[in-house]
């Protein structure tokens, strides 16, 4: 166990050393640094109550379904300015860049996620601007044509804040696409399903089938 006062490791150095590179289940075109049982993420994330959970270290179904959709339908992002909200590992942002987006920005509140996005973008030979910020209380982002939101409806308070932000973005003329495997707080009445893909989700056992996750637009 880490002794009190010991500084945390450099995120990029830690990720390179402890999170092996592997293809994303259901999305073999993309490889990511992904945590395993022996990764020791607590050394990077910390054990305190204020430390953000290391969601960025795993591929989640909401991001996976968006990534699969964009790679299968590159015309959705081709030539457009894209922002990936709550980007985590950068999976969705990487898919958007691979599909031909003109510019891609990845936003996450966790600085460790930003380090992972930089490494994963380089690994997949794409250019992504990664920023550590909480923007959902801010005005709609400028110079954005398409906002992508993967798996942000797992917490009731967060879901309300995200939905209010998405409505403001929609009113500003930004198209919004949501990827989600029907988490508990997904506002289904405010969304219209446009696609379904079978994708893996973090936590599924090796013998479990992929989940049927959806891609949604705002109603």
């Amino acid at each position: 166990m880490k002794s009190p006062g010991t500084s945390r490791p450099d995120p990029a150095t830690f990720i390179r050393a402890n999170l092996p590179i592997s293809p994303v289940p259901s999305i073999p075109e993309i490889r990511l640094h992904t945590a395993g049982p022996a990764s020791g993420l607590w050394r990077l994330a910390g054990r305190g109550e204020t430390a953000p959970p290391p969601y960025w270290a795993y591929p989640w179904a909401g991001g996976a379904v968006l990534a699969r959709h964009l790679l299968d339908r590159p015309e959705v992002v081709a030539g457009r300015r894209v922002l990936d909200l709550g980007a985590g590992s950068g999976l969705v942002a990487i898919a958007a860049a691979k599909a031909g987006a003109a510019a891609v920005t990845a936003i996450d509140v966790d600085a460790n996620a930003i380090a992972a996005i930089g490494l994963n973008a380089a690994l997949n030979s794409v250019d992504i601007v990664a920023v550590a910020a909480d923007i959902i209380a801010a005005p709609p982002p400028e110079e954005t044509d398409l906002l992508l939101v993967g798996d942000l409806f797992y917490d009731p308070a967060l879901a309300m804040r995200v939905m209010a932000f998405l409505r403001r973005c929609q009113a500003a003329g930004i198209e919004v696409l949501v990827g989600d495997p029907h988490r508990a707080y997904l506002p289904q009445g405010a969304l219209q399903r446009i696609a379904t893909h079978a994708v893996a989700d973090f936590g599924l056992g090796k013998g479990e089938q992929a989940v049927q996750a959806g891609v949604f637009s705002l109603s």
Side-chain angles (χ1 to χ4, degrees):
M1 180 178 294
K2 178 173 59 178
S3 61
T6 302
S7 61
R8 292 179 187 170
D10 172 71
T13 301
F14 180 91
I15 291 167
R16 286 193 195 98
N18 296 281
L19 276 67
I21 297 167
S22 61
V24 178
S26 314
I27 313 168
E29 302 97 318
I30 295 176
R31 298 185 300 152
L32 300 177
H33 288 274
T34 304
S39 292
L41 280 176
W42 64 268
R43 289 180 285 155
L44 184 61
R47 293 182 182 271
E49 293 183 1
T50 59
Y55 293 139
W56 56 268
Y58 309 95
W60 298 84
V65 71
L66 272 177
R68 183 70 272 158
H69 184 67
L70 299 182
L71 291 170
D72 290 348
R73 299 280 305 277
E75 67 274 13
V76 173
V77 294
R80 306 180 77 186
R81 300 165 298 178
V82 175
L83 189 148
D84 179 12
L85 180 66
S89 66
L91 172 59
V92 176
I94 290 167
K98 280 184 168 289
V104 181
T105 301
I107 301 285
D108 202 282
V109 297
D110 191 335
N112 293 329
I114 301 307
I117 291 167
L119 293 174
N120 289 329
L123 184 64
N124 289 277
S125 303
V126 296
D127 293 322
I128 293 170
V129 176
V131 180
D134 182 353
I135 66 169
I136 59 177
E142 297 181 356
E143 299 183 353
T144 300
D145 302 311
L146 175 64
L147 180 67
L148 302 172
V149 184
D151 238 320
L152 285 186
F153 293 98
Y154 55 86
D155 173 85
L158 177 61
M160 289 183 64
R161 294 181 65 214
V162 168
M163 196 61 200
F165 178 69
L166 300 189
R167 286 298 190 197
R168 295 197 304 275
C169 290
Q170 183 185 45
I174 299 171
E175 183 181 355
V176 177
L177 289 181
V178 173
D180 202 280
H182 297 281
R183 302 286 184 213
Y185 304 102
L186 180 69
Q188 297 188 49
L191 302 173
Q192 180 178 355
R193 181 187 292 268
I194 61 174
T196 301
H197 299 274
V199 293
D201 195 17
F202 174 67
L204 289 178
K206 291 185 177 179
E208 295 184 63
Q209 295 182 348
V211 299
Q212 295 292 325
V215 177
F216 305 87
S217 62
L218 291 187
S219 300

